[in-house]
Amino acid sequence: MNNDIKTFQTTLKDHNLKLLRRDITTLQINTGLLCNQICKHCHLSAGPKKSELMTRKTMDEIKTFATGYTFKIIDITGGAPEMNPDLPYIIEILKGLAPEIILRSNLSALSEFDNDSLIELLKDATISITASFPSINEKQTNVQRGNGIFSTSVHMLQKLNSFGYGIEGSGLKLNLVSNPSGAFMPASQEDAEKRFRKVLMSKWNISFTNLFSFTNVPLGRYKTWLKESGNYDSYIQKLIDNFNSEALENLMCRDLMSVSWDGFIHDCDFNLAAGIHSGDRKTHITEINKPFVNGSAIITDNHCYSCTAGAGFT
Ligand code: SF4
């Protein structure tokens, strides 16, 4: 990296800011790095050849931990969580342990599941679905995520709607996540949501709950692509130029703890991808009985600029 680039820690100091935890309300669980897609922007470099997968033993350890504390949200992510054969198991043991449980899906992995049995299970447990749907442009989506992914995703959104997901009044949330296809900042979330809502409804009769815009994080496969395409330094500089000190207030790491597939604790999924452990010490979920305390420091690095650029990433 260019040595002239100002570190995130220095930027915080210049603004007289510190990134500190509040009470932890969200438990994020990474069930593994196995994925059926090889997306260009993936900060975890997940893919079909990955062997990291959460076991039932770690799932049981997480359940024991979650039972002893009150979380508002449990957020299940991957890789593609659907690629972990024990996804139904972890849903069964965690349901009821938080008012909201979210499953993050790339949609195509959900479509590979047999007989809609997983959708039935999610619906019965009122699990919210947060689905990657980067763009309403078919070509852009397929370039970023793989051939045919756009049409598979549209088909899955229609199917989820038919189960009540994303339909007003059903109580079943279907949120979408979009992200830019290249080394640039996302469009305004509000404008993107309006555009997606209009196009998805008029072309494919698809409804959804909310849309979140995501700034690509310069880690993993996306970092490799930025470096190979000569965009890395200019991308980081763009994030720095868009630094918004007010975004710090709502950063997810202030209220969230993230557990890796092998049970270790991180401040967020990005720090997990960067190999940064909470408190700068490798701590297993079985070594603690409650989250790290309110007021303690969160470890940051330059990828944190993605979370503070523009409207921020909460
Ligand atoms: S990457 Fe974002 S969420 Fe994670 S520690 Fe940095 S600022 Fe917080």
Side-chain angles (χ1 to χ4, degrees):
M1 184 170 132
N2 183 338
N3 289 331
D4 296 337
I5 285 182
K6 193 196 265 191
T7 66
F8 188 75
Q9 288 90 338
T10 306
T11 298
L12 289 187
K13 248 187 216 155
D14 288 352
H15 286 79
N16 206 17
L17 293 168
K18 284 185 180 166
L19 189 51
L20 303 175
R21 264 179 213 96
R22 291 186 285 238
D23 284 334
I24 299 297
T25 54
T26 299
L27 172 65
Q28 187 171 62
I29 301 167
N30 189 310
T31 57
L33 297 187
L34 191 60
C35 187
N36 59 326
Q37 296 183 184
I38 314 174
C39 301
K40 196 171 92 176
H41 67 281
C42 182
H43 61 272
L44 283 155
S45 303
K49 293 190 177 156
K50 293 286 181 171
S51 55
E52 295 88 344
L53 269 187
M54 185 172 278
T55 60
R56 282 193 181 204
K57 179 173 179 286
T58 305
M59 292 174 182
D60 288 338
E61 290 165 348
I62 291 172
K63 187 211 164 177
T64 302
F65 176 79
T67 306
Y69 186 80
T70 307
F71 288 101
K72 290 186 181 157
I73 299 173
I74 295 177
D75 180 357
I76 301 172
T77 186
E82 299 93 331
M83 304 288 285
N84 186 320
D86 287 322
L87 176 64
Y89 179 75
I90 195 168
I91 289 170
E92 282 294 343
I93 63 171
L94 293 182
K95 73 181 179 193
L97 285 185
E100 181 170 22
I101 299 185
I102 300 168
L103 177 74
R104 299 199 179 239
S105 174
N106 67 15
L107 294 172
S108 69
L110 187 56
S111 80
E112 287 177 13
F113 228 83
D114 285 346
N115 308 323
D116 303 333
S117 57
L118 181 58
I119 304 178
E120 293 282 7
L121 177 65
L122 298 172
K123 182 180 170 178
D124 289 348
T126 329
I127 306 289
S128 303
I129 297 177
T130 296
S132 311
F133 194 80
S135 168
I136 40 182
N137 179 307
E138 179 163 5
K139 196 169 159 208
Q140 263 178 20
T141 300
N142 288 345
V143 166
Q144 187 185 112
R145 301 176 77 80
N147 276 339
I149 293 296
F150 184 84
S151 57
T152 303
S153 301
V154 164
H155 173 71
M156 271 318 293
L157 290 176
Q158 288 170 327
K159 180 175 272 191
L160 288 168
N161 276 178
S162 75
F163 278 79
Y165 271 100
I167 304 294
E168 213 177 329
S170 68
L172 296 168
K173 284 191 202 168
L174 173 59
N175 292 318
L176 304 185
V177 178
S178 83
N179 64 293
S181 57
F184 45 86
M185 301 280 296
S188 125
Q189 185 164 290
E190 203 183 345
D191 293 350
E193 184 175 289
K194 276 187 201 150
R195 200 158 30 89
F196 274 58
R197 208 177 283 293
K198 190 171 164 197
V199 174
L200 286 176
M201 177 49 72
S202 64
K203 284 196 170 172
W204 297 288
N205 200 27
I206 289 170
S207 302
F208 62 91
T209 313
N210 290 114
L211 176 130
F212 305 115
S213 285
F214 174 104
T215 301
N216 289 326
V217 180
L219 289 170
R221 198 175 296 120
Y222 188 60
K223 181 175 180 177
T224 305
W225 175 80
L226 285 170
K227 293 224 168 193
E228 286 175 359
S229 62
N231 282 303
Y232 183 75
D233 285 349
S234 61
Y235 184 68
I236 298 277
Q237 193 55 54
K238 211 170 287 173
L239 298 178
I240 294 173
D241 293 344
N242 282 281
F243 179 78
N244 171 11
S245 58
E246 288 177 13
L248 243 75
E249 178 59 24
N250 294 318
L251 292 184
M252 63 178 160
C253 52
R254 303 197 62 193
D255 316 297
L256 172 148
M257 60 181 287
S258 175
V259 185
S260 61
W261 57 90
D262 49 359
F264 289 93
I265 298 162
H266 304 263
D267 293 323
C268 68
D269 203 48
F270 308 131
N271 278 7
L272 186 162
I276 300 172
H277 293 90
S278 293
D280 212 11
R281 179 178 160 266
K282 205 170 172 189
T283 307
H284 196 264
I285 192 81
T286 51
E287 294 176 61
I288 54 171
N289 55 21
K290 58 180 183 333
F292 281 37
V293 297
N294 186 324
S296 53
I298 295 160
I299 300 182
T300 60
D301 205 340
N302 285 356
H303 58 268
C304 298
Y305 278 124
S306 310
C307 301
T308 53
F313 185 15
T314 60

